[in-house]
Amino acid sequence: QALLFALGCRIQRHCGKVLFVGLLVFGALAVGLRVASIETDIEHLWVEAGSRVSQELRYTKEKLGEESVYTSQMLIQTPKKDGENILTQEALQLHLEAALAASKVQVSYSSLSRSWDLNKICYKSGVPIIENGMIERLFPCVILTPLDCFWEGAKLQGGSAYLPGRPDIQWSNLDPLQLMEELGQFTSLEGFKELLEKAEVGQAYMERPCLDPRDPQCPPSAPNKQSHPDIPAELSGGCHGFSRKFMRWQQELILGGTTKDSQGKLLRAEALQTMFLLMSPRQLFEHFKDDYEIHDISWSEEKAGAILEAWQRKFVELAQDSIPPNATQSVHAFSTTTLNDIMKSFSDVSAIRVAGGYLLMLAYACVTMLRWDCSKSQGAVGLAGVLLVALSVASGLGLCSLLGISFNAATTQVLPFLALGIGVDDMFLLAHAFTETSQHIPFKERTGECLKRTGTSVALTSVSNMIAFFMAALVPIPALRAFSLQAAVVVVFNFAMVLFVFPAILSLDLHRRERRRLDILCCFYSPCSSRVIQIQPQELADANDNHACHPSPYGHPGVATSTQITTTVQAFTRCDPSGHHVVTVLPPTSQVCTSPAVLLPPTDPLGSQVFAPSSSTRDLLAQLDEAKGRRECVPLPFCRWSLADFAREKYAPLLLRTRTKVRWERLWSIIQ
């Protein structure tokens, strides 16, 4: 307490300098918010460092390489009517339309003239290293879809090649065995044939049933060329891609809400799902870094990521727009970028919410600390305190940004309001204690006395909060650890603000009150600073009969004279340079009237009030103030109203009534 007292006295002595330096330091650290980064990656936010999940992810990247990493885009179809079977030709045709619309997406980057379609950015598993552009263009994308059980799955593959004398080669008309025989006449493809045999590619999609046998492009080799397919039987057990051996799509990956009979035969399902796998930004960068079309462009991994994000956003848009409004099915598109956008929207700081919360606190602090008496009003102190709390929060988060601690949704959505509550609580405590400081304490020691009485409580609560948040930083979850560290730093800055900068505000307000200036409009003097007190003629009277009776020094003891003193006083109040109140009294104009002597019964002369001639006008004013019968200006009721008066005179008596208690008990029992 001695240290806090000395600190408060020094702050009051140099309040202007302390305030300037404090605002300068806090403002400089708040500039660090310009380099703040928001983390939206789920893996970086919620995967514990050193946990089994992180170890498995690291092992996968180390053993399988970067090519094992991909991003998935999902297309989910459900019936609008609950419980409706989706394993129908109509539902699969609708799913095909949505998937085709999504697979035709093309985007162009602002600085890159070429367009990017699915075939260029999709993930292709195990692409053989063969210097043959046609085979590379034909190599299919990895698409997990229930349409792969049918010939229509080939329509999703966008690769094509050209050979003289025959139409464009696409997966919808490609028979790999026949193509190898034709190309084998011109070049040796034994190695590639061996790969196709090991992967069990066969005739690819040409030997699968057609979803719509009436389609003119349905190949003659389709087993149901003249009949409709048995959709549950074809989808039972899942589907496979162009490779029967390595691309097996399990039933759980492509169907949802399935129902089977006692023998395990698929009867119905309630959802269809198609997944498009795309390359990662690093894969896309490595794949095209030597391409001649982008040779003159500063190709980078960031640009590759921007292309993927643009494609995914357009994928979601076109997939949902491809379904007619009167369709009986609903299609929902979801991409990795969609999740990142959701996380980013949650993590972005809502300026309207934060500003609204702080403005409400500004209004609350100003209203609750305003008083009609300018010597006790602290509305400006409340406003300045809330603004200082906001600055301390900004400076604390700015320091965290400079230290490299990333922000997340918890930081941007919760921490500003949490720090506001903690900081404003200490501010209110100091301001209330400052108003309760006795006027008998020397002027130069009032801030020190305030910190001596209240600073200990503020320090203990702040240190407790700091320790709690620093201990919470031991949590291994990265998002919670970052939030705890940032909260601890903000609490430290709140404590520094309350202990060093806010007392300077209180000291400045103390000078304002001593000079009788208005609270918020401190440039103007208060009307009470030059108030003239007019005292009406009064008669000093006894406590019992309101007459001052004095025994006559010349007459009989039972005879007394009644003396009436009529005094007109003009009293001016001002403050001297030392800060103490001084009452300057102008010479009064007095008139002493003595009434005729009257005979009174004997009384104790010591029980009467005697106004000594040597009494000063100051004593006269004090006696008149203490008199019960004095005249005074009674302010209007609304001018004396405050929250404390309402709680003491209205709210507390209402709660203490028996009827109120009974009603609350009944209400509580109803709620439970």
Side-chain angles (χ1 to χ4, degrees):
Q1 289 182 341
L3 292 176
L4 292 174
F5 177 79
L7 176 64
C9 293
R10 288 182 178 273
I11 292 176
Q12 182 176 349
R13 191 179 304 116
H14 307 285
C15 55
K17 299 177 183 178
V18 172
L19 180 61
F20 175 76
V21 174
L23 294 178
L24 185 63
V25 173
F26 279 50
L29 290 175
V31 179
L33 287 174
R34 299 186 60 181
V35 298
S37 61
I38 299 179
E39 183 62 65
T40 58
D41 193 322
I42 299 295
E43 179 181 343
H44 295 163
L45 285 175
W46 301 105
V47 176
E48 176 185 351
S51 64
R52 181 176 178 180
V53 176
S54 63
Q55 293 176 1
E56 291 179 352
L57 291 174
R58 184 173 61 253
Y59 176 83
T60 302
K61 294 180 181 180
E62 291 177 355
K63 299 302 180 181
L64 300 181
E66 182 67 26
E67 62 273 6
S68 64
V69 181
Y70 52 82
T71 58
S72 58
Q73 330 307 315
M74 291 184 290
L75 206 64
I76 301 175
Q77 179 178 334
T78 57
K80 292 184 178 180
K81 185 177 180 181
D82 294 340
E84 184 178 350
N85 184 22
I86 205 171
L87 299 182
T88 62
Q89 183 178 1
E90 179 186 0
L92 285 172
Q93 287 286 354
L94 187 64
H95 195 74
L96 175 62
E97 293 178 8
L100 279 175
S103 64
K104 303 296 183 183
V105 171
Q106 291 187 357
V107 296
S108 59
Y109 195 66
S110 58
S111 60
L112 302 178
S113 58
R114 68 182 300 174
S115 60
W116 302 82
D117 56 12
L118 178 63
N119 192 55
K120 293 178 181 178
I121 65 176
C122 69
Y123 176 74
K124 299 180 179 181
S125 177
V127 180
I129 304 177
I130 299 177
E131 296 182 0
N132 191 313
M134 183 187 70
I135 295 179
E136 183 180 356
R137 289 192 297 270
L138 279 176
F139 205 88
C141 299
V142 178
I143 304 176
L144 286 69
T145 174
L147 298 172
D148 272 348
C149 288
F150 307 94
W151 167 78
E152 280 76 5
K155 294 183 178 181
L156 302 181
Q157 302 294 341
S160 63
Y162 172 74
L163 284 178
R166 61 177 301 170
D168 289 346
I169 301 176
Q170 298 178 352
W171 280 100
S172 58
N173 59 12
L174 173 61
D175 186 346
L177 297 180
Q178 181 181 357
L179 180 62
M180 290 299 103
E181 292 179 359
E182 295 179 2
L183 295 179
Q185 300 176 5
F186 306 99
T187 183
S188 177
L189 296 175
E190 295 298 329
F192 197 74
K193 289 182 179 180
E194 184 178 356
L195 289 176
L196 294 178
E197 292 177 359
K198 289 183 178 180
E200 299 181 4
V201 175
Q203 292 181 301
Y205 292 94
M206 303 300 292
E207 57 184 359
R208 302 182 188 182
C210 293
L211 189 61
D212 183 10
R214 296 170 296 179
D215 191 338
Q217 297 182 356
C218 180
S221 57
N224 68 325
K225 182 63 177 176
Q226 304 298 329
S227 62
H228 293 281
D230 186 358
I231 294 178
E234 296 293 341
L235 292 173
S236 182
C239 305
H240 57 79
F242 71 96
S243 171
R244 294 180 177 271
K245 184 175 182 181
F246 300 111
M247 295 185 176
R248 185 71 182 179
W249 319 139
Q250 297 180 2
Q251 180 178 304
E252 291 77 11
L253 292 176
I254 57 178
L255 298 178
T258 58
T259 302
K260 300 180 181 180
D261 59 8
S262 58
Q263 299 179 355
K265 183 180 178 181
L266 181 64
L267 298 178
R268 54 188 293 116
E270 297 182 6
L272 301 174
Q273 176 175 274
T274 294
M275 296 177 61
F276 297 84
L277 304 187
L278 305 182
M279 286 189 285
S280 65
R282 183 171 183 82
Q283 289 176 344
L284 188 60
F285 167 71
E286 293 290 343
H287 186 74
F288 287 98
K289 67 178 181 179
D290 297 327
D291 194 285
Y292 72 94
E293 294 185 11
I294 58 174
H295 182 69
D296 57 340
I297 299 174
S298 56
W299 178 245
S300 63
E301 189 172 341
E302 289 75 16
K303 290 185 178 180
I307 292 172
L308 290 172
E309 290 181 0
W311 192 94
Q312 292 175 46
R313 291 190 177 95
K314 197 169 183 181
F315 162 83
V316 174
E317 179 182 353
L318 292 182
Q320 294 178 346
D321 293 343
S322 63
I323 304 302
N326 57 351
T328 59
Q329 309 287 327
S330 299
V331 176
H332 310 278
F334 184 82
S335 66
T336 306
T337 301
T338 304
L339 177 60
N340 293 335
D341 290 342
I342 293 174
M343 293 297 299
K344 187 176 180 180
S345 64
F346 287 163
S347 302
D348 287 341
V349 179
S350 177
I352 297 178
R353 293 179 183 176
V354 175
Y358 278 75
L359 287 176
L360 287 176
M361 184 57 70
L362 279 172
Y364 174 77
C366 181
V367 171
T368 55
M369 300 181 71
L370 274 177
R371 298 293 185 272
W372 292 104
D373 186 356
C374 62
S375 63
K376 296 181 180 181
S377 181
Q378 289 183 307
V381 172
L383 294 176
V386 176
L387 293 177
L388 283 178
V389 171
L391 181 60
S392 67
V393 173
S395 58
L397 294 179
L399 179 61
C400 293
S401 301
L402 295 175
L403 295 177
I405 304 177
S406 300
F407 291 7
N408 54 62
T411 303
T412 57
Q413 302 296 331
V414 179
L415 190 54
F417 303 101
L418 177 64
L420 175 64
I422 296 176
V424 169
D425 176 59
D426 295 336
M427 182 269 293
F428 277 124
L429 189 62
L430 274 181
H432 178 72
F434 198 74
T435 57
E436 298 298 328
T437 303
S438 175
Q439 299 295 326
H440 300 291
I441 298 175
F443 180 80
K444 297 181 179 180
E445 299 179 358
R446 292 185 184 177
T447 304
E449 183 67 21
C450 177
L451 286 183
K452 177 182 176 182
R453 294 171 52 191
T454 315
T456 305
S457 301
V458 173
L460 290 177
T461 55
S462 299
V463 171
S464 300
N465 292 331
M466 283 186 283
I467 293 176
F469 282 120
F470 276 121
M471 292 298 294
L474 299 177
V475 176
I477 306 300
L480 300 181
R481 179 187 301 168
F483 172 78
S484 301
L485 288 175
Q486 290 163 346
V489 173
V490 169
V491 170
V492 172
F493 275 76
N494 272 341
F495 177 58
M497 179 274 299
V498 171
L499 199 62
F500 296 103
V501 183
F502 188 66
I505 297 291
L506 293 176
S507 301
L508 292 176
D509 186 70
L510 179 61
H511 288 283
R512 190 270 309 168
R513 289 192 294 171
E514 290 297 321
R515 295 177 183 177
R516 294 289 178 177
R517 293 180 180 269
L518 292 178
D519 182 11
I520 297 179
L521 304 176
C522 57
C523 295
F524 302 95
Y525 283 94
S526 172
C528 65
S529 61
S530 59
R531 183 176 56 191
V532 178
I533 304 176
Q534 295 286 348
I535 301 179
Q536 301 296 329
Q538 299 288 337
E539 178 180 353
L540 295 182
D542 185 79
N544 296 325
D545 56 2
N546 295 330
H547 287 81
C549 300
H550 309 283
S552 175
Y554 308 103
H556 191 273
V559 179
T561 59
S562 176
T563 303
Q564 179 179 0
I565 302 177
T566 304
T567 304
T568 303
V569 180
Q570 288 186 334
F572 295 89
T573 60
R574 63 181 180 85
C575 296
D576 63 356
S578 63
H580 297 284
H581 288 287
V582 174
V583 179
T584 302
V585 181
L586 297 180
T589 302
S590 304
Q591 181 179 2
V592 180
C593 299
T594 305
S595 61
V598 295
L599 184 63
L600 296 176
T603 57
D604 184 7
L606 297 178
S608 61
Q609 295 180 351
V610 180
F611 180 74
S614 60
S615 299
S616 65
T617 309
R618 184 191 302 271
D619 297 333
L620 173 62
L621 293 176
Q623 294 177 20
L624 289 176
D625 287 339
E626 295 175 359
K628 294 183 179 179
R630 71 181 184 275
R631 297 179 181 180
E632 61 179 3
C633 296
V634 180
L636 297 176
F638 70 89
C639 294
R640 299 176 57 88
W641 185 87
S642 65
L643 291 177
D645 295 336
F646 173 76
R648 180 176 59 254
E649 299 175 3
K650 302 294 183 182
Y651 187 64
L654 177 64
L655 294 180
L656 294 177
R657 293 179 181 177
T658 305
R659 184 181 302 175
T660 305
K661 295 179 181 179
V662 172
R663 291 179 179 177
W664 274 110
E665 290 179 358
R666 291 179 179 176
L667 180 61
W668 181 253
S669 61
I670 293 174
I671 295 175
Q672 289 182 339

